[in-house]
Amino acid sequence: MANRAGASARRVPETEATITYVQCDGLAVMKIVKHCHEESCSNMEVAQGALLGLVVENRLEITNCFPFPKHDDTMDEEEYQLDMMRRLRRVNVDHFHVGWYQSADVGNFLSQSLLESQYHYQTSIEESVVVIYDTKKSARGFLTLKAYRLTPQAIAMYKEGDYTPEALRNLKIGYESLFIEVPIVIRNSPLTNIMMSELSEMIPEEEGSKFLDLGTASVLEGQLRSLMERVDELNQEAIKFNRYQQLVVRQQQDKHRWLVKRAQENAARVAKDEPPLPEEDVNKLFKPHPVPPRLNPMIVAGQINTYSQHISQFCSQSLAKLYLTQALQNAKESKQNQ
């Protein structure tokens, strides 16, 4: 995935203004929705694709897209993308690479592969974004389409390649400061808006009014299971780091004992008018233990935070529906009694 940005890498002058929002055409949105739902229904794989468009002042316009090919050893992904963009250019369609999109499950898109891919995109195509489409939430009637860019701290972290606690603390980076969300708006042509207005008038009144769906057990169960898995994974990472700290403390004690012993031996030799023992590099005798990288625990903590926020939001909405349904039921019963 990381090398996909190389197919159309082009540097943007540093004086160019940073984009403030993303404008996505309705056609591109429909293509993204279609591809993501096809992948989620067929083989439950993550759908990914390229975004095409152009930059106009402080606005990034996404006018078209196409899916990435499935993993096939016989196909060169970069050659496939170049061929697709050449064909689009022939039919006078915007063919500039401006980012990529990916499907997500209940908003939990944060992963190490996504961070690495967006880093390669953003360092080769400065204005590029990653658009995340939530299939499950959209299937329940809430269109979820968000655009993200890496923060300068996250780019600096990947450039240095140092994921130790000290490096992350110096950069002042956490899971909440890895990405910055860019506002996204969907734009349709006037003819499309007219057609949608006519279609909305053709929908029967009883359709699209099932807003009090109380079947929340399966959704909440899936989110809680995912949250438990992430908590277990974070616990394993915490155990690894605690074991590392214990090894460091034990090594420091061994160093101190060795230095005290060497000082006593030298004092005894000096008392016997013998030359002291030569000084040795303590770090060669006691090699420091490798520090476990903290990038994966930071990502897992971000996933836990995302699941927690979704569960809290989902439960509050469900409770509101339950109270509203109870009030309607009480009103219906009191009316029947009268």
Side-chain angles (χ1 to χ4, degrees), residues 248 267 303:
V248 170
Q303 293 174 345

Side-chain angles (χ1 to χ4, degrees), residues 7 66-70 75-87:
F66 62 86
F68 288 140
K70 296 183 179 179
M75 181 180 294
D76 187 355
E77 294 182 358
E78 290 190 10
E79 186 61 32
Y80 168 80
Q81 291 185 63
L82 290 172
D83 186 53
M84 283 291 296
M85 286 185 282
R86 277 194 297 264
R87 294 174 184 272

Side-chain angles (χ1 to χ4, degrees), residues 40-298:
S40 63
C41 294
S42 59
N43 49 17
M44 301 300 291
E45 289 186 359
V46 174
Q48 295 175 337
L51 300 174
L52 306 176
L54 66 160
V55 179
V56 181
E57 296 178 352
N58 62 341
R59 178 177 73 249
L60 176 65
E61 294 187 3
I62 299 173
T63 57
N64 212 326
C65 64
F66 62 86
F68 288 140
K70 296 183 179 179
H71 300 289
D72 188 355
D73 296 334
T74 62
M75 181 180 294
D76 187 355
E77 294 182 358
E78 290 190 10
E79 186 61 32
Y80 168 80
Q81 291 185 63
L82 290 172
D83 186 53
M84 283 291 296
M85 286 185 282
R86 277 194 297 264
R87 294 174 184 272
L88 290 170
R89 183 171 52 190
R90 288 174 190 169
V91 294
N92 198 25
V93 175
D94 291 328
H95 59 279
F96 292 115
H97 211 157
V98 294
W100 60 297
Y101 68 86
Q102 176 178 306
S103 61
D105 182 11
V106 199
N108 195 4
F109 62 92
L110 190 60
S111 66
Q112 194 164 346
S113 60
L114 184 136
L115 283 170
E116 185 177 353
S117 299
Q118 181 59 20
Y119 167 74
H120 287 287
Y121 265 96
Q122 208 162 315
T123 51
S124 58
I125 310 171
E126 189 175 341
E127 72 275 12
S128 65
V129 298
V130 54
V131 173
I132 303 297
Y133 174 73
D134 194 328
T135 53
K136 286 194 174 181
K137 201 169 182 181
S138 298
R140 295 184 64 84
F142 303 95
L143 178 62
T144 306
L145 200 69
K146 296 184 178 181
Y148 294 95
R149 285 172 55 84
L150 285 177
T151 59
Q153 298 98 315
I155 294 177
M157 176 188 70
Y158 262 96
K159 279 184 179 179
E160 295 176 3
D162 187 6
Y163 308 121
T164 59
E166 290 77 14
L168 298 181
R169 184 169 60 249
N170 293 335
L171 288 173
K172 298 180 180 180
I173 189 170
Y175 64 83
E176 67 279 353
S177 58
L178 286 174
F179 281 101
I180 180 171
E181 184 177 351
V182 184
I184 186 170
V185 295
I186 300 176
R187 175 188 174 277
N188 291 314
S189 65
L191 290 176
T192 304
N193 291 329
I194 292 172
M195 186 190 70
M196 292 177 65
S197 299
E198 292 179 353
L199 289 175
S200 63
E201 294 177 357
M202 295 169 60
I203 299 176
E205 292 183 359
E206 63 272 9
E207 293 292 332
S209 58
K210 298 178 181 178
F211 300 117
L212 296 179
D213 179 20
L214 300 179
T216 59
S218 60
V219 178
L220 189 59
E221 180 183 357
Q223 293 183 356
L224 287 173
R225 285 186 182 277
S226 300
L227 179 61
M228 290 168 60
E229 292 174 359
R230 297 298 178 273
V231 170
D232 289 340
E233 188 176 351
L234 186 62
N235 182 48
Q236 294 299 321
E237 293 290 344
I239 291 173
K240 291 179 184 177
F241 192 73
N242 290 335
R243 190 180 298 121
Y244 160 76
Q245 288 182 318
Q246 292 173 0
L247 291 174
V248 170
V249 170
R250 192 177 298 121
Q251 190 179 64
Q252 291 293 335
Q253 293 174 350
D254 293 340
K255 280 184 182 180
H256 180 70
R257 281 195 294 267
W258 185 87
L259 292 173
V260 170
K261 182 179 178 182
R262 177 55 63 91
Q264 292 175 350
E265 290 177 353
N266 285 335
R269 292 175 70 89
V270 169
K272 296 178 183 178
D273 294 332
E274 297 179 359
L277 297 173
E279 294 184 1
E280 298 183 29
D281 190 359
V282 181
N283 292 326
K284 290 184 178 179
L285 296 173
F286 301 93
K287 294 184 179 180
H289 297 283
V291 182
R294 304 304 295 163
L295 179 60
N296 189 55
M298 182 169 62

Side-chain angles (χ1 to χ4, degrees), residues 300-311:
V300 174
Q303 293 174 345
I304 291 174
N305 180 64
T306 302
Y307 277 123
S308 301
Q309 288 179 351
H310 279 274
I311 290 173

